[in-house]
Coordinates of all heavy atoms in Angstrom, one line a residue:
M1 N -6.7 -15.2 -10.2 CA -7.3 -13.9 -10.2 C -6.7 -13.1 -8.9 O -6.6 -13.5 -7.8 CB -8.9 -14.0 -9.9 CG -9.5 -12.6 -10.0 SD -11.2 -13.0 -10.2 CE -11.7 -11.9 -8.9
A2 N -6.2 -11.9 -9.3 CA -5.7 -11.0 -8.3 C -6.7 -10.4 -7.3 O -7.8 -10.2 -7.7 CB -5.0 -9.9 -9.0
R3 N -6.4 -10.3 -6.1 CA -7.3 -9.9 -5.0 C -6.9 -8.4 -4.8 O -5.8 -7.9 -4.8 CB -7.0 -10.6 -3.8 CG -7.9 -10.0 -2.7 CD -8.2 -11.2 -1.6 NE -9.3 -10.5 -0.8 CZ -9.0 -10.2 0.5 NH1 -7.8 -10.5 1.0 NH2 -9.9 -9.7 1.2
D4 N -8.0 -7.5 -4.6 CA -7.8 -6.2 -4.2 C -8.0 -6.1 -2.7 O -8.9 -6.6 -2.1 CB -8.7 -5.2 -4.8 CG -8.5 -5.2 -6.4 OD1 -7.3 -5.3 -6.7 OD2 -9.4 -4.9 -7.1
Y5 N -7.2 -5.3 -2.0 CA -7.2 -5.1 -0.5 C -7.6 -3.6 -0.3 O -7.2 -2.7 -0.9 CB -5.8 -5.3 0.1 CG -5.4 -6.9 -0.1 CD1 -4.6 -7.1 -1.2 CD2 -5.8 -7.8 0.8 CE1 -4.1 -8.4 -1.4 CE2 -5.4 -9.0 0.7 CZ -4.5 -9.5 -0.4 OH -4.1 -10.6 -0.7
T6 N -8.4 -3.4 0.8 CA -8.7 -2.1 1.3 C -7.5 -1.6 2.2 O -6.7 -2.4 2.4 CB -10.0 -2.1 2.2 OG1 -9.7 -2.9 3.3 CG2 -11.2 -2.6 1.3
Y7 N -7.6 -0.3 2.6 CA -6.6 0.0 3.5 C -6.4 -0.9 4.8 O -5.3 -1.3 5.2 CB -6.8 1.6 4.1 CG -6.3 2.6 3.3 CD1 -7.1 3.4 2.5 CD2 -4.8 2.8 3.1 CE1 -6.5 4.5 1.7 CE2 -4.3 3.9 2.4 CZ -5.1 4.5 1.7 OH -4.7 5.7 0.9
A8 N -7.5 -1.1 5.4 CA -7.5 -2.0 6.6 C -6.9 -3.4 6.4 O -6.1 -3.9 7.0 CB -8.9 -2.1 7.1
E9 N -7.4 -4.0 5.2 CA -6.9 -5.3 4.9 C -5.4 -5.4 4.5 O -4.7 -6.2 4.9 CB -7.7 -5.9 3.7 CG -9.2 -6.2 4.1 CD -9.9 -6.4 2.8 OE1 -9.6 -6.1 1.7 OE2 -11.1 -7.1 3.1
A10 N -5.0 -4.3 3.7 CA -3.6 -4.3 3.4 C -2.7 -4.0 4.5 O -1.7 -4.6 4.7 CB -3.5 -3.1 2.4
A11 N -3.2 -3.1 5.5 CA -2.4 -2.9 6.7 C -2.2 -4.1 7.5 O -1.2 -4.4 8.1 CB -3.0 -1.6 7.5
A12 N -3.2 -4.9 7.7 CA -3.3 -6.1 8.4 C -2.3 -7.1 7.7 O -1.5 -7.9 8.4 CB -4.6 -6.7 8.6
K13 N -2.3 -7.2 6.5 CA -1.4 -8.1 5.8 C 0.0 -7.8 5.9 O 0.9 -8.6 6.1 CB -1.8 -8.2 4.3 CG -1.0 -9.2 3.5 CD -1.7 -9.6 2.2 CE -0.6 -10.5 1.5 NZ -1.3 -11.4 0.6
L14 N 0.2 -6.5 5.8 CA 1.7 -5.9 6.1 C 2.1 -5.9 7.5 O 3.2 -5.7 7.8 CB 1.8 -4.6 5.4 CG 1.7 -4.5 3.9 CD1 1.7 -3.1 3.4 CD2 2.8 -5.3 3.2
R15 N 1.2 -6.1 8.5 CA 1.4 -6.0 9.9 C 1.9 -4.7 10.3 O 2.9 -4.5 11.0 CB 2.4 -7.1 10.3 CG 1.7 -8.5 10.1 CD 2.7 -9.5 10.6 NE 2.1 -10.8 10.4 CZ 2.8 -12.0 10.7 NH1 4.0 -11.9 11.0 NH2 2.1 -13.1 10.5
I16 N 1.2 -3.6 9.8 CA 1.5 -2.2 10.0 C 0.2 -1.5 10.4 O -0.9 -2.0 10.1 CB 2.2 -1.4 9.0 CG1 1.4 -1.4 7.6 CG2 3.6 -2.1 8.7 CD1 2.0 -0.5 6.6
A17 N 0.4 -0.4 11.0 CA -0.8 0.5 11.4 C -1.4 1.0 10.0 O -0.7 1.4 9.0 CB -0.5 1.6 12.3
E18 N -2.7 1.2 10.0 CA -3.4 1.8 8.8 C -2.9 3.2 8.6 O -2.7 3.5 7.5 CB -4.9 1.8 9.0 CG -5.6 2.1 7.8 CD -7.2 2.0 8.0 OE1 -7.6 1.1 8.8 OE2 -7.8 2.7 7.3
T19 N -2.6 3.9 9.6 CA -2.0 5.3 9.5 C -0.6 5.3 8.8 O -0.4 6.2 8.0 CB -2.0 6.1 10.7 OG1 -1.2 5.3 11.7 CG2 -3.3 6.3 11.3
T20 N 0.1 4.3 9.1 CA 1.4 4.1 8.5 C 1.2 3.8 7.0 O 1.9 4.4 6.2 CB 2.2 3.0 9.1 OG1 2.4 3.3 10.4 CG2 3.5 2.8 8.5
L21 N 0.2 3.1 6.7 CA 0.1 2.6 5.2 C -0.4 3.9 4.6 O 0.0 4.2 3.4 CB -1.1 1.5 5.1 CG -1.3 1.2 3.7 CD1 -0.1 0.7 2.9 CD2 -2.4 0.1 3.7
R22 N -1.3 4.7 5.0 CA -1.8 5.9 4.5 C -0.6 6.9 4.2 O -0.6 7.6 3.2 CB -2.9 6.6 5.3 CG -4.2 5.9 5.3 CD -5.3 6.5 6.2 NE -6.4 5.7 6.2 CZ -7.3 5.8 5.3 NH1 -7.3 6.6 4.3 NH2 -8.4 4.9 5.3
R23 N 0.3 6.9 5.2 CA 1.5 7.8 5.0 C 2.4 7.4 3.9 O 2.9 8.2 3.1 CB 2.2 7.9 6.3 CG 3.4 9.0 6.3 CD 4.1 9.1 7.7 NE 3.4 8.7 8.9 CZ 3.5 7.7 9.7 NH1 4.4 6.8 9.4 NH2 2.8 7.5 10.8
W24 N 2.5 6.0 3.8 CA 3.3 5.5 2.7 C 2.8 5.8 1.4 O 3.5 6.1 0.4 CB 3.5 4.0 2.9 CG 4.4 3.6 4.0 CD1 5.1 4.3 4.9 CD2 4.8 2.2 4.3 NE1 5.8 3.6 5.8 CE2 5.6 2.2 5.4 CE3 4.4 0.9 3.8 CZ2 6.2 1.1 6.0 CZ3 5.0 -0.2 4.4 CH2 5.8 0.0 5.5
V25 N 1.5 5.7 1.3 CA 0.7 6.1 0.0 C 1.0 7.6 -0.3 O 1.3 7.9 -1.4 CB -0.7 5.7 0.0 CG1 -1.5 6.3 -1.2 CG2 -1.0 4.2 0.1
S26 N 0.9 8.4 0.6 CA 1.0 9.8 0.4 C 2.4 10.2 0.0 O 2.6 11.1 -0.7 CB 0.5 10.7 1.6 OG 1.4 10.6 2.6
K27 N 3.4 9.5 0.4 CA 4.7 9.8 0.2 C 5.3 9.0 -1.0 O 6.4 9.1 -1.5 CB 5.7 9.5 1.4 CG 5.5 10.4 2.5 CD 6.5 10.1 3.6 CE 6.2 11.2 4.7 NZ 7.3 11.3 5.6
G28 N 4.4 8.1 -1.7 CA 4.8 7.4 -2.9 C 5.7 6.2 -2.6 O 6.3 5.6 -3.5
R29 N 5.7 5.7 -1.3 CA 6.5 4.5 -0.9 C 5.9 3.3 -1.4 O 6.6 2.2 -1.7 CB 6.7 4.5 0.5 CG 7.5 3.3 1.0 CD 8.0 3.2 2.4 NE 8.6 2.1 2.7 CZ 9.0 1.7 3.9 NH1 8.9 2.6 4.8 NH2 9.6 0.6 4.1
I30 N 4.5 3.3 -1.5 CA 3.8 2.2 -2.0 C 2.8 2.5 -3.0 O 2.1 3.7 -2.9 CB 3.1 1.3 -0.8 CG1 2.5 0.1 -1.2 CG2 2.1 2.2 -0.1 CD1 2.0 -0.8 -0.2
S31 N 2.6 1.7 -4.1 CA 1.6 2.2 -5.2 C 0.3 1.5 -4.7 O 0.1 0.7 -4.0 CB 2.1 1.6 -6.5 OG 2.2 0.2 -6.4
C32 N -0.7 2.2 -5.2 CA -2.2 1.8 -5.1 C -2.9 2.1 -6.3 O -2.4 2.7 -7.2 CB -2.8 2.5 -3.9 SG -2.9 4.3 -4.0
H33 N -4.1 1.7 -6.3 CA -5.1 2.0 -7.5 C -6.2 2.6 -6.9 O -6.8 2.3 -6.0 CB -5.4 0.6 -8.2 CG -4.3 -0.2 -8.6 ND1 -3.2 0.4 -9.2 CD2 -3.9 -1.6 -8.6 CE1 -2.3 -0.6 -9.4 NE2 -2.8 -1.7 -9.2
R34 N -6.6 3.7 -7.7 CA -7.8 4.6 -7.2 C -8.9 4.3 -8.2 O -8.7 4.4 -9.5 CB -7.4 6.0 -7.2 CG -6.4 6.3 -6.0 CD -6.1 7.8 -6.1 NE -4.8 7.9 -5.1 CZ -4.9 8.1 -3.9 NH1 -6.0 8.3 -3.3 NH2 -3.8 8.3 -3.2
V35 N -10.0 4.0 -7.7 CA -11.3 3.9 -8.4 C -12.3 4.9 -7.8 O -12.9 4.7 -6.9 CB -11.9 2.5 -8.4 CG1 -13.2 2.3 -9.2 CG2 -10.8 1.5 -8.7
G36 N -12.4 6.1 -8.4 CA -13.1 7.2 -7.8 C -12.4 7.6 -6.6 O -11.3 7.9 -6.5
R37 N -13.2 7.5 -5.4 CA -12.6 7.8 -4.1 C -12.1 6.6 -3.4 O -11.4 6.8 -2.5 CB -13.6 8.5 -3.3 CG -14.0 9.8 -3.8 CD -15.1 10.4 -2.9 NE -14.6 10.8 -1.7 CZ -15.3 11.3 -0.7 NH1 -16.5 11.6 -0.8 NH2 -14.7 11.6 0.5
L38 N -12.3 5.4 -4.0 CA -11.8 4.3 -3.4 C -10.3 4.0 -3.7 O -9.9 4.2 -4.7 CB -12.7 3.1 -3.9 CG -14.1 3.1 -3.5 CD1 -14.8 1.8 -4.2 CD2 -14.4 3.1 -2.1
V39 N -9.6 3.5 -2.7 CA -8.2 3.1 -2.9 C -8.0 1.6 -2.6 O -8.6 1.1 -1.7 CB -7.3 3.9 -1.9 CG1 -5.8 3.5 -2.0 CG2 -7.4 5.4 -2.1
R40 N -7.5 0.9 -3.5 CA -7.3 -0.5 -3.5 C -5.8 -0.9 -3.7 O -5.0 -0.2 -4.4 CB -8.2 -1.2 -4.4 CG -9.6 -1.0 -4.2 CD -10.0 -1.7 -2.9 NE -11.5 -1.7 -2.6 CZ -12.0 -0.8 -1.8 NH1 -11.2 0.0 -1.0 NH2 -13.3 -0.8 -1.6
F41 N -5.4 -1.9 -3.1 CA -4.1 -2.5 -3.2 C -4.1 -3.9 -3.8 O -4.9 -4.6 -3.4 CB -3.2 -2.4 -1.9 CG -3.2 -1.2 -1.2 CD1 -4.3 -0.7 -0.3 CD2 -2.2 -0.3 -1.4 CE1 -4.3 0.5 0.3 CE2 -2.2 0.9 -0.8 CZ -3.2 1.4 0.1
T42 N -3.2 -4.1 -4.7 CA -3.0 -5.6 -5.2 C -1.9 -6.3 -4.4 O -1.2 -5.6 -3.7 CB -2.7 -5.6 -6.7 OG1 -1.4 -4.9 -7.0 CG2 -3.8 -4.8 -7.6
D43 N -1.8 -7.6 -4.7 CA -0.7 -8.3 -4.1 C 0.7 -7.8 -4.5 O 1.6 -7.7 -3.7 CB -0.8 -9.8 -4.5 CG -2.0 -10.5 -3.8 OD1 -2.0 -10.3 -2.6 OD2 -2.7 -11.3 -4.4
E44 N 0.8 -7.3 -5.7 CA 2.0 -6.8 -6.3 C 2.3 -5.4 -5.6 O 3.6 -5.3 -5.2 CB 2.0 -6.5 -7.9 CG 1.9 -7.8 -8.6 CD 0.5 -8.4 -8.8 OE1 -0.5 -7.6 -8.5 OE2 0.3 -9.6 -8.8
D45 N 1.4 -4.7 -5.3 CA 1.6 -3.5 -4.5 C 2.1 -3.8 -3.2 O 3.1 -3.1 -2.7 CB 0.3 -2.7 -4.4 CG -0.2 -2.1 -5.7 OD1 0.5 -2.0 -6.6 OD2 -1.5 -1.9 -5.8
L46 N 1.5 -4.8 -2.4 CA 1.9 -5.1 -1.2 C 3.4 -5.7 -1.2 O 4.2 -5.5 -0.2 CB 0.9 -6.0 -0.5 CG -0.5 -5.4 -0.4 CD1 -1.4 -6.5 0.3 CD2 -0.5 -4.1 0.3
D47 N 3.7 -6.5 -2.3 CA 4.9 -7.1 -2.3 C 6.1 -6.1 -2.4 O 7.2 -6.3 -1.9 CB 5.1 -8.1 -3.5 CG 4.3 -9.3 -3.1 OD1 3.9 -9.7 -2.0 OD2 4.0 -10.1 -4.1
S48 N 5.8 -5.0 -3.0 CA 6.8 -3.9 -3.3 C 6.9 -3.0 -2.1 O 7.8 -2.1 -2.1 CB 6.4 -3.2 -4.6 OG 5.2 -2.4 -4.3
A49 N 6.2 -3.2 -1.1 CA 6.2 -2.3 0.0 C 7.6 -2.2 0.7 O 7.9 -1.1 1.2 CB 5.1 -2.6 1.0
Y50 N 8.2 -3.4 0.7 CA 9.5 -3.4 1.4 C 10.7 -3.4 0.5 O 11.8 -3.5 0.9 CB 9.6 -4.6 2.3 CG 8.6 -4.5 3.5 CD1 7.5 -5.2 3.6 CD2 8.8 -3.6 4.5 CE1 6.6 -5.1 4.7 CE2 8.0 -3.4 5.5 CZ 6.8 -4.2 5.6 OH 5.9 -4.1 6.6
K51 N 10.4 -3.1 -0.8 CA 11.6 -3.0 -1.7 C 11.9 -1.4 -1.8 O 11.0 -0.5 -1.6 CB 11.1 -3.4 -3.1 CG 10.9 -4.8 -3.1 CD 10.5 -5.3 -4.5 CE 10.2 -6.8 -4.5 NZ 9.6 -7.3 -5.7
P52 N 13.2 -1.1 -2.0 CA 13.6 0.4 -2.2 C 12.8 1.0 -3.3 O 12.6 0.4 -4.4 CB 15.0 0.3 -2.5 CG 15.4 -1.0 -2.0 CD 14.3 -1.9 -2.2
S53 N 12.3 2.1 -3.0 CA 11.5 2.9 -4.0 C 12.3 4.2 -4.3 O 13.1 4.6 -3.6 CB 10.1 3.3 -3.6 OG 10.1 4.1 -2.6
P54 N 12.0 4.8 -5.5 CA 12.8 6.1 -5.8 C 12.6 7.1 -4.8 O 13.4 8.0 -4.6 CB 12.2 6.4 -7.2 CG 11.7 5.3 -7.6 CD 11.2 4.4 -6.5
A55 N 11.4 7.1 -4.1 CA 11.1 8.2 -3.2 C 12.0 8.1 -2.0 O 12.2 9.1 -1.2 CB 9.7 8.2 -2.8
T56 N 12.4 6.8 -1.6 CA 13.1 6.7 -0.4 C 14.7 6.5 -0.6 O 15.5 6.5 0.4 CB 12.7 5.3 0.4 OG1 12.9 4.2 -0.5 CG2 11.2 5.5 0.8
R57 N 15.1 6.5 -1.9 CA 16.5 6.5 -2.1 C 17.1 7.8 -2.2 O 16.6 8.8 -2.6 CB 16.7 5.8 -3.5 CG 16.6 4.5 -3.5 CD 17.1 3.8 -4.8 NE 16.1 2.8 -5.2 CZ 15.9 2.4 -6.4 NH1 16.6 3.0 -7.5 NH2 15.1 1.5 -6.7
R58 N 18.4 7.9 -1.6 CA 19.0 9.3 -1.6 C 20.5 9.0 -1.5 O 21.0 8.2 -1.0 CB 18.6 10.2 -0.4 CG 17.1 10.6 -0.6 CD 16.8 11.7 0.2 NE 15.3 11.9 -0.2 CZ 14.6 12.7 0.3 NH1 15.1 13.6 1.2 NH2 13.3 12.9 0.1

């Protein structure tokens, strides 16, 4: 069963600051799932954090 992570949990797992994770989400560098106002991350979302995304390629 896949686990969902909060901003704080995901940032800790990625070993980055929570503000950095929020910035990545706003710029489209990492995907997330929204349930109402809640934002959650899956293991697949976190695994893709360090792969090149269309938003960062130029």
Side-chain angles (χ1 to χ4, degrees):
M1 184 170 127
R3 175 151 190 255
D4 290 336
Y5 299 92
T6 63
Y7 269 113
E9 293 168 336
K13 184 167 176 146
L14 293 173
R15 296 182 180 171
I16 59 173
E18 191 174 332
T19 55
T20 300
L21 181 57
R22 289 179 184 275
R23 189 176 330 112
W24 287 3
V25 168
S26 69
K27 292 186 177 199
R29 179 172 176 183
I30 188 170
S31 60
C32 64
H33 305 322
R34 297 179 189 270
V35 181
R37 294 181 64 183
L38 299 176
V39 176
R40 295 292 182 254
F41 302 90
T42 62
D43 287 316
E44 292 81 25
D45 295 333
L46 301 182
D47 289 341
S48 69
Y50 291 109
K51 294 179 185 173
S53 69
T56 59
R57 285 188 219 156
R58 294 200 181 179

